[in-house]
Amino acid sequence: MAMPRPTVAQLACGSCTVVFSTFVMLLLSGASSAPAVAVVAVSALALGLVVAMKVPHLAPRRPAAVHGTAAPEPVRATVPSPVREKVREPVRERAAS
């Protein structure tokens, strides 16, 4: 079974998470040694992976299309005439009493 390819949204969210979380963790921790920077980098990659995997689950799901066996009915369009004439009703006269 083939694995599904990541979407553009997954790649973008995961990449931004890795870059920004690495930057913030390095600033907040003040890490200067190689092992500390490696721990920050690995944790940022793990966080980016988690965010990228959760992106499709946060989007609202659309209902599946209903496959019907009936043929679609043609759509009839009505176009109003460009000049509308007023319809005149006959004038009713009162009978003389």
Side-chain angles (χ1 to χ4, degrees):
M1 186 166 108
M3 284 183 57
R5 294 184 179 188
T7 63
V8 175
Q10 285 176 310
L11 292 174
C13 288
S15 299
C16 289
T17 301
V18 169
V19 170
F20 290 126
S21 62
T22 303
F23 181 69
V24 168
M25 283 191 277
L26 285 174
L27 282 177
L28 292 178
S29 68
S32 58
S33 65
V37 172
V39 167
V40 167
V42 169
S43 60
L45 284 173
L47 182 62
L49 181 64
V50 168
V51 168
M53 296 306 290
K54 291 292 181 183
V55 166
H57 300 294
L58 297 178
R61 295 184 181 187
R62 293 186 218 161
V66 177
H67 298 288
T69 56
E73 295 183 23
V75 177
R76 296 181 184 174
T78 57
V79 180
S81 62
V83 178
R84 287 191 160 179
E85 296 180 16
K86 291 185 179 180
V87 177
R88 296 185 182 182
E89 294 182 14
V91 177
R92 297 181 183 173
E93 295 181 17
R94 290 186 174 179
S97 47

